[in-house]
Amino acid sequence: MHPILLALLVLALLAVVLLGLRPLRRAVLSAPIFNMYRKVLPQMSDTERDALEAGTVWWEGELFRGRPDWSRLHAYPRPRLSDDEQRFLDNQAEEACRMVNDWEVTQERFDLPADVWNYLKSQGFLGMIIPKSYGGLGFSAYAHSEIVTKLSTRSSALAVSVMVPNSLGPAELLLHYGTDAQKNHYLPRLARGEEVPAFALTSPWAGSDAAAIPDSGIVCKGEWQGREVVGMRVTWDKRYITLAPVCTLLGLAFRLYDPDGLLGDEKDLGITCALVPHDHPGVDTGRRHFPLNAMFMNGPTRGQDVFMPLDFIIGGPAMAGQGWRMLMECLAAGRSISLPSSNTGMSKLTARAVGAYARVRSQFRTPVGKFEGVEEALARIGGHTYMMDAARSMTAGAVDLGEKPSVVSAIVKYHVTERARQVVNDGMDVIGGKGICLGPSNFLGRAYQQIPIGITVEGANILTRSLIIFGQGAIRCHPYVLAEMQAAQSSDRQQGLHDFDRAFWGHVGFVVKNKLRALGTALTGARLVGVNADVAPEMKRYYQQLSRYSAAFALLADTSMLVLGGSLKRRERLSARLGDILSQMYLISATLKRYQDEGRQAADAPLAHWSIQDTLFRLQEAFDGVLENYPNRFVAWGLRRIVFPWGHPQSLPSDELGQQVAKLLINPGAARDRLTAGCHLPATADEPVGAIELALAATLEAEPIEAKIRELEKRGALDGNPQANVRDIADAAYAAGGLTDEEYAVVKRRNTLRDTVVKVDDFPFDLGAGAIRPAAERRAA
């Protein structure tokens, strides 16, 4: 044998022996790596550790693995409503919508009417998540999501007033951490609406850095109910607290200190959550904020050296200092539902109403919805709405499966609200002047004003994208990184080395496999990728492409963590783009699952194709953004040859596909109904959305008659008639004997409804302020 070949063989055998014998591997290879890893690994604070370890890893973990198990995705049960939940949605939720006039709420009342508040309380809207054993409705997360979605198609004040008590707040925290006494006292009262909850977290000085809140409590002795007890003196200043102006029970987060050691040796106990009655001495609920003409109650709350017993702590004194973990574990469920649901509802309303408006409104004797420029906007509205609803439903279903998907909740919060912004902006462009003039007949203006609220609250979108999605997901979802970190920080060095050895070499094998898989699937265009699930044939290519990009993402993520190390945390743009890749893969997964779960509806296929193709293109752009800005250009060159060896395979959806989506929005049918399911649709023409629905039906009925009128024009039968104009031409055709009485009646009815739809409101010179202000002052008095 040739000496070189012999040497290579010997080296290969040594490598096999070294890697195969674990005790030898640990001593020779793993121990030095372990020691170096311990030195370079930055120390994590307790709050960082709690954030990383909170929640659960769900489907996003499969995407991080580089080889998604599609049969697992399909095995997740499709979320469904129980009979009780469906009845509530069809009756109580519909009635709540009927009781609210959004223009009156935003322009005249500045709050929900008293009878609406009473209805919400008496029907259990504020206690949907509270179990029936405590008097609540005991609804699923999916039912909660469906109800908020419906209410959001009517009024933001209505939706938010229901959403907040059922999201992150006293009820949820009590259910998970409250003492029996706290649960038995507060949960029935919350369920009946006798208590209106709010949760105060955000500080003016900490903002999105909630772990750094300056609000503090000092453990001390004081008088409570006539006797001296150990309690705490709390000082806080909070803002942006939804329902604070009307709450009766305030959840409060602050940092608790014990300088005198009354509870033990620990001086800084950490963030603590307490329940404080609004009328407790020293509580100042302040006035109210005015968030972009939205009339849900929101405002500041303050307190200075307010003494309260330790029993106010959620979970009692034993839970002092555990507030951050409590919030991290509960935040995922609430954030998975609230804003994704409300913004999806807003988008469904836009798709339904704007699509119909584009068919009713004509220019140049053609419905504006058939103009190619408008078709582009309608395609975006339809495609984004389809995907948003898919992600909302799938994520709510995860919560019902017992998951606390912290990374997924950030994905849907960010991407659903951003897509909603695009949807509403496109809707405003289509309806034009109708949208920019506020009034009772404007169905979209308030949504346009209030879109930034969803972008800002529950974690500002900029920070969610740049710091959380990948920053938390890279460690939390990766199959080995968190285990390596935990092993390196173990107090038992020998056990730590043992755990690190198993995780590290598993990680090495993981990287090698993903590199080979990423290159192989890229070279073959993923056409040889097997899909281990029963999938719709027309969707199979998307599963294959997503498998390819999952492997490429896993390789890119591992390479970035290896090459950039701790500096990756500071490279927010790079982290944001890596998060975009993970997010787009999750959104596509949800869309594929929706199409599958709903029975592979052929009529819905254009919506699924458009949304997936658009998102694949965004995913490709995110890969490009990472590679073009990668700090190590040599590594970037190598990665690009693996990820895109033949160039860019993805393109934007075709014009033809966009036109198919647009047609679904302007034509009544099952696909349009499925896309906008859950919209509150008034039945009368004195409501703007009701008028649009009636006008669409009348427009379709009149279209054959319109064609008949155009034939009359072509023959010259209407020449010289001054009524032969865009407004009165039906009168001219009828006078000329070209229309029957029945046909003329159909067109006249269409014209009346059309005029109702396209009209804009006008007001006195003072915009009615003279009439509104005295009425408001009388109510205040």
Side-chain angles (χ1 to χ4, degrees), residues 33 135 163 261 273 330 362 435 458 517 611 716 733:
I33 298 171
M163 179 176 80
C273 295
C330 287
S362 290
E458 290 192 16
R517 188 179 299 117
S611 61

Side-chain angles (χ1 to χ4, degrees), residues 127-139 175 180 183-189 191-192:
M128 291 190 296
I129 68 168
I130 296 175
K132 292 181 179 179
S133 57
Y134 291 103
L137 297 179
F139 281 176
L175 283 169
D180 288 340
K183 292 178 182 178
N184 292 331
H185 176 73
Y186 283 119
L187 289 178
R189 296 173 61 82
R192 294 191 298 267

Side-chain angles (χ1 to χ4, degrees), residues 102 106-107 156-157 240 288-296 298 346 421 438 444-457:
D102 194 60
T106 57
Q107 197 68 17
S156 65
Y240 310 142
R288 68 182 286 188
H289 300 313
F290 189 23
L292 295 177
N293 266 331
M295 290 302 155
F296 59 84
N298 187 281
M346 193 184 305
R421 171 154 53 183
L438 287 174
L444 199 57
R446 291 301 192 203
Y448 178 77
Q449 284 183 309
Q450 294 162 24
I451 273 289
I453 298 173
I455 301 294
T456 303
V457 301

Side-chain angles (χ1 to χ4, degrees), residues 193-334:
E194 295 174 17
E195 300 280 8
V196 176
F199 191 83
L201 176 61
T202 306
S203 162
W205 299 277
S208 292
D209 186 10
I213 54 177
D215 312 287
S216 61
I218 306 295
V219 178
C220 61
K221 292 183 179 180
E223 186 173 322
W224 173 248
Q225 295 180 342
R227 59 189 179 90
E228 186 179 67
V229 299
V230 175
M232 45 195 177
R233 199 166 296 281
V234 185
T235 297
W236 72 92
D237 187 351
K238 308 283 192 179
R239 68 180 178 189
Y240 310 142
I241 311 306
T242 304
L243 298 188
V246 296
C247 83
T248 63
L249 184 63
L250 181 68
L252 184 63
F254 55 91
R255 196 169 197 96
L256 185 61
Y257 298 89
D258 185 12
D260 298 327
L262 297 178
L263 299 181
D265 297 332
E266 194 74 33
K267 303 299 182 184
D268 181 355
L269 297 177
I271 293 175
T272 300
C273 295
L275 290 179
V276 187
H278 77 291
D279 55 0
H280 185 75
V283 175
D284 176 14
T285 55
R287 300 194 292 176
R288 68 182 286 188
H289 300 313
F290 189 23
L292 295 177
N293 266 331
M295 290 302 155
F296 59 84
M297 287 293 173
N298 187 281
T301 175
R302 306 178 184 90
Q304 183 71 35
D305 291 330
V306 177
F307 183 79
M308 55 187 74
L310 294 177
D311 287 344
F312 277 21
I313 296 174
I314 297 175
M319 295 300 290
Q322 301 300 308
W324 185 242
R325 177 172 286 276
M326 293 160 61
L327 292 172
M328 289 297 97
E329 290 178 347
C330 287
L331 180 62

